[in-house]
Amino acid sequence: MGCWNYIGRGAVAQRKRGIGTSIVAGFGITGAVAAFFIKENFHWRTCYFIGGGLGLALLLLRVSVLESGMFQKMKAKDVKRGRIFMLINNRERLTRYVQSILIGVPTWLVIGILITFSKEFAKEFGITEEIDPGKSIMFAYAGLAVGDVTIGLVSQWLKSRKKAMYIFYAITALFMVLYFTLQWNGSASLMYFLCAALGFGSGFWAIFVTIGAEQFGTNLRATAATTIPNMVRGTVPLMLLLFQFLRSLPGVGYINGGIYTCAIVFAICTIAVLTSKETFHKDLNYEEV
């Protein structure tokens, strides 16, 4: 989270913002892959010590990070800084905030439903092999790590955040369709491959966070960059409730409930991307009033 804060305050040059965030996200997400192998080889109590120790080490690293020059100059000005209510007390600013949140929701739609419940979906598809949800998550996060770095490079090449998002949204949509159509009486190998492919397609977390940070002035940028990802994670219970409601409807069932949930959420998020502003060339040296 400290890394998003640092980038969100304007510590990375304009031409390198997307790549900087992609590197941070790509390496960060590999932690979930490492967690799978640690879980497989260590007692659960040892895993807690490893996780806690790394968390404390990360805190020490965060404290040692220097503030950006842009943020230091802004601190000398008489402007309101970091007030979360400023994100919602202005209609235009609130619209930007909600759009920024919705853009990142498909990542947790994939992780929170399709990957987490891969074992349950496999049974409904008629897959006889045992599916390990932990392994599904490991493959998905490996794909996410590669996707995060790739989309940063694509965004730099196209000189556009939105065009890169369109490409990765299309990849995610494609593999969602394949997830629900190819797996009838399928195999564990196919499930794990699709989990990795979905992870790659939804690996736009880096650019999503960059877009969120670039939408706001220096006095609100860190607040936006740190709260937007958490707001996205907070949508998971809402999506689970929608999934539970839809699959309980007469004649719908588990598979169709998943399809309808993905279709509804993905459509809303696509509208958010389409209506959001391009921020690749945006000068971030300004404050919100």
Side-chain angles (χ1 to χ4, degrees):
M1 188 62 68
C3 295
W4 304 133
N5 199 336
Y6 187 58
I7 292 172
R9 287 183 175 182
V12 181
Q14 177 180 330
R15 66 184 183 277
K16 298 179 180 178
R17 288 196 301 249
I19 292 178
T21 316
S22 295
I23 293 172
V24 171
F27 277 97
I29 288 172
T30 57
V33 180
F36 172 78
F37 292 104
I38 291 173
K39 183 267 292 186
E40 291 291 303
N41 293 283
F42 293 94
H43 190 272
W44 68 268
R45 286 191 175 89
T46 305
C47 293
Y48 270 86
F49 280 111
I50 293 172
L54 290 173
L56 291 173
L58 180 60
L59 177 62
L60 293 175
L61 289 172
R62 174 65 187 93
V63 170
S64 65
V65 172
L66 299 176
E67 295 286 7
S68 70
M70 189 185 298
F71 186 77
Q72 292 284 23
K73 291 178 181 177
M74 185 272 298
K75 286 171 66 177
K77 299 179 181 179
D78 184 22
V79 294
K80 297 177 181 178
R81 303 192 303 271
R83 297 191 179 183
I84 193 168
F85 289 107
M86 286 183 67
L87 295 170
I88 60 176
N89 65 3
N90 176 281
R91 184 174 179 178
E92 188 273 335
R93 198 155 47 219
L94 176 61
T95 300
R96 277 185 276 147
Y97 190 60
V98 172
Q99 286 174 330
S100 300
I101 293 168
L102 290 175
I103 288 171
V105 167
T107 296
W108 280 95
L109 171 66
V110 168
I111 298 298
I113 294 180
L114 301 185
I115 307 302
T116 300
F117 297 105
S118 56
K119 181 176 182 178
E120 289 75 12
F121 277 112
K123 290 179 181 178
E124 295 293 329
F125 286 129
I127 299 174
T128 56
E129 298 173 79
E130 185 72 16
I131 299 295
D132 179 1
K135 188 175 289 187
S136 297
I137 292 172
M138 185 271 290
F139 278 108
Y141 271 83
L144 274 164
V146 176
D148 267 324
V149 175
T150 304
I151 194 173
L153 297 174
V154 171
S155 176
Q156 291 298 120
W157 178 54
L158 296 175
K159 299 293 188 292
S160 170
R161 306 280 185 241
K162 292 184 66 173
K163 289 179 181 177
M165 289 296 295
Y166 293 153
I167 292 171
F168 275 73
Y169 260 50
I171 294 172
T172 304
L174 170 63
F175 282 104
M176 279 183 177
V177 172
L178 296 179
Y179 184 95
F180 287 110
T181 57
L182 285 185
Q183 296 208 84
W184 296 99
N185 301 314
S187 64
S189 298
L190 179 59
M191 171 62 84
Y192 294 139
F193 167 76
L194 289 171
C195 287
L198 280 167
F200 175 81
S202 59
F204 43 75
W205 194 255
I207 293 301
F208 140 71
V209 174
T210 304
I211 291 172
E214 290 173 338
Q215 293 284 353
F216 299 93
T218 307
N219 56 323
L220 282 180
R221 194 167 301 129
T223 303
T226 52
T227 59
I228 287 172
N230 288 308
M231 292 293 182
V232 173
R233 295 183 183 99
T235 64
V236 175
L238 299 177
M239 289 188 286
L240 290 175
L241 287 173
L242 177 62
F243 177 43
Q244 185 177 25
F245 168 73
L246 290 173
R247 76 189 194 213
S248 66
L249 294 175
V252 176
Y254 207 91
I255 300 297
N256 286 333
I259 293 173
Y260 298 157
T261 301
C262 289
I264 292 169
V265 174
F266 205 80
I268 294 171
C269 297
T270 300
I271 293 172
V273 177
L274 291 170
T275 56
S276 65
K277 296 178 180 179
E278 176 62 66
T279 59
F280 185 87
H281 296 289
K282 187 174 182 179
D283 182 5
L284 301 186
N285 192 17
Y286 72 98
E287 288 84 35
E288 301 276 350
V289 294

